Amino acid sequence: MVSGTHAAYCSRRRPNRHDVTKNPQPTNLRSARNALRLGFVPQTDCAPLVMAEDLDLFRKYGLCVTLSRELGWATIRDKIIHRELDAAHAPVGTPFAATLGLGSIPCDCLTALVLNLHGNAITLSNDLSKAGVRDGVMLREEIVKTRRHKTFTFGVEFSSSSHNFLLRGWLAASGIHPDRDVRIVVMPPPQMVANLKAGHLDGFCAGEPWNSVAVQARAGSCVATSAELDPGHPEKVLMVRRDFARKSVKEHLALVAALLEACEFCDAPENRARIAATLARPGYVGAPVEALRRAFDGKFDFGHGPVRTVADFSVFHRHNANEPSGDKAAWVIEHLRSSGLCKDAATLNFSVGPQVFRADIFEKAARLRSSTPTRNENDTASEIQLAPA
């Protein structure tokens, strides 16, 4: 359990009865005093980081790790740049943006692991729902109707996150200009629901569980999911500075391998209850279990009409999700361009892709992962049951 915002885990940590790995532990790559600092923002797709700790996977790969719960993505980016974090759960476009100095000082960053695909939704306020708005076309009609006395405001998690790209695309597809017809503001994910209820936002595009939390609180309703808007889109990555990857090769590979194993665990249906219960703890996401589980089973409550099953609502490992491949890099570059974040398109050409999305490092970590057994075949089912909160 994370205490406050920080907790360190390494080979000195007492093994618990829920360990899934009984193999001899490798030599520690760092001491507890000099633990790797790994940041995350509280939402459902931080699950691989949280479960890697809960399952003792960091220790399994010889790592001593400090998990650091952060409020939002600007904090994550700045702490990576200023070396307050060694690695972090980050929006897919952030390593590119940091490298190019888009919104921050330039800092060469990269990723060797995509943590997940999809996992987001667009939620609208109760006022819009009461006005009958259920899609972008209806929203456009409402914008035209109220243009003289209101500008609608929508929240996104970060300028270089998929949420910004997805929301802009959804608006544009219905003839709404994302820069002229509405106002888009950046807001930390945990603050979205409160601002929607207070009337400061008319809607938002965010990752789970915040859409489900809004629906459960009767603060809004959902109109689209990212799995349906842009099937296969990359979502979060493991972000590090380039110099960390160069100077701490073994640690970086071990970190990617541990999280890759955690991604596999997060995609297995039989693990959903344990993951949701773990994420619900106050030091991790701290949201209701009912809201957290929807991203895993895909039984999504839109807040209007019956609960609907959304195929592949969140993908943590299947469909080759984890490789930082060229097509995923191209998706990011295209959206950074179309969103207007990079004013000089010449600096954002496709040759940047392989420098930031490092499939070569991923392949080495995948080999390390495949050479390390998941668990002893003699382990009983009781040993991997849900741990008490």
Side-chain angles (χ1 to χ4, degrees):
M1 178 65 66
V2 177
S3 175
T5 57
H6 300 279
Y9 306 92
C10 62
S11 60
R12 295 181 186 179
R13 178 179 178 272
R14 180 175 61 83
N16 63 60
R17 66 185 179 86
H18 306 285
D19 290 345
V20 295
T21 304
K22 308 299 179 183
N23 301 312
Q25 303 305 316
T27 302
N28 243 32
L29 296 173
R30 284 199 185 199
S31 66
R33 183 176 298 179
N34 194 29
L36 283 176
R37 300 156 299 178
L38 180 57
F40 71 95
V41 165
Q43 57 188 93
T44 306
D45 56 25
C46 73
L49 286 73
V50 170
M51 296 314 298
E53 189 287 310
D54 194 64
L55 299 169
D56 261 355
L57 296 180
F58 296 130
R59 186 171 65 93
K60 171 182 175 179
Y61 287 89
L63 295 171
C64 189
V65 171
T66 297
L67 290 181
S68 181
R69 187 179 190 264
E70 308 293 347
L71 177 63
W73 302 118
T75 306
I76 288 282
R77 176 200 62 198
D78 293 347
K79 286 191 173 185
I80 287 285
I81 289 174
H82 296 291
R83 304 175 188 276
E84 295 176 51
L85 292 172
D86 296 300
H89 163 235
V92 67
T94 309
F96 283 96
T99 297
L100 297 170
L102 306 179
S104 69
I105 61 171
C107 176
D108 284 344
C109 293
L110 60 84
T111 183
L113 181 69
V114 176
L115 292 167
N116 67 303
L117 313 177
H118 310 154
N120 312 307
I122 295 174
T123 296
L124 300 182
S125 68
N126 284 333
D127 285 346
L128 284 172
S129 296
K130 289 173 183 175
V133 177
R134 294 287 185 271
D135 56 31
V137 173
M138 292 178 178
L139 176 61
R140 183 177 182 278
E141 292 173 359
E142 193 67 18
I143 290 172
V144 171
K145 189 190 306 181
T146 60
R147 190 184 302 276
R148 291 187 178 182
H149 63 272
K150 180 177 176 63
T151 299
F152 289 94
T153 301
F154 293 87
V156 295
E157 294 191 9
F158 206 42
S159 58
S160 58
S161 73
S162 68
H163 315 93
N164 187 29
F165 308 151
L166 292 164
L167 178 64
R168 295 174 71 89
W170 180 76
L171 292 168
S174 296
I176 302 168
H177 196 289
D179 296 315
R180 293 196 297 264
D181 296 333
V182 298
R183 180 187 299 115
I184 297 178
V185 299
V186 171
M187 186 172 291
Q191 296 179 0
M192 295 283 191
V193 178
N195 279 281
L196 189 70
K197 291 175 73 173
H200 303 314
L201 293 178
D202 297 291
F204 61 77
C205 182
E208 281 292 280
W210 307 116
N211 303 282
S212 291
V213 169
V215 169
Q216 286 188 8
R218 298 184 179 179
S221 59
C222 299
V223 292
T225 71
S226 63
E228 297 167 321
L229 289 174
D230 198 338
H233 81 82
E235 177 52 30
K236 299 297 191 312
V237 297
L238 179 69
M239 178 176 171
V240 302
R241 295 182 310 279
R242 188 180 305 279
D243 62 0
F244 171 81
R246 185 178 66 251
K247 295 175 183 177
S248 303
V249 175
K250 291 182 179 179
E251 290 167 301
H252 186 214
L253 286 175
L255 183 60
V256 173
L259 290 171
L260 180 58
E261 184 168 341
C263 287
E264 294 178 50
F265 182 90
C266 290
D267 239 9
E270 63 270 21
N271 299 328
R272 290 169 181 166
R274 176 176 180 173
I275 297 167
T278 304
L279 292 176
R281 298 173 186 174
Y284 295 136
V285 179
V289 169
E290 180 69 12
L292 286 159
R293 72 170 179 79
R294 294 195 181 279
F296 294 95
D297 62 23
K299 295 176 182 177
F300 201 69
D301 184 357
F302 285 79
H304 54 84
V307 172
R308 180 159 60 85
T309 297
V310 178
D312 290 336
F313 186 96
S314 291
V315 178
F316 288 94
H317 181 64
R318 59 194 185 277
H319 307 322
N320 195 32
N322 305 120
E323 182 184 1
S325 57
D327 60 323
K328 294 186 182 82
W331 185 90
V332 178
I333 291 169
E334 288 171 0
H335 283 82
L336 285 171
R337 282 177 171 175
S338 63
S339 66
L341 283 176
C342 187
K343 304 304 180 185
D344 183 5
T347 64
L348 192 57
N349 57 62
F350 289 101
S351 66
V352 178
Q355 300 172 37
V356 178
F357 268 39
R358 294 294 298 274
D360 56 326
I361 299 175
F362 169 80
E363 289 171 3
K364 293 176 183 177
R367 287 196 292 271
L368 173 61
R369 161 68 194 101
S370 64
S371 67
T372 310
T374 299
R375 68 184 183 93
N376 191 298
E377 291 301 321
N378 295 323
D379 288 348
T380 64
S382 62
E383 290 180 301
I384 57 172
Q385 292 302 305
L386 176 63

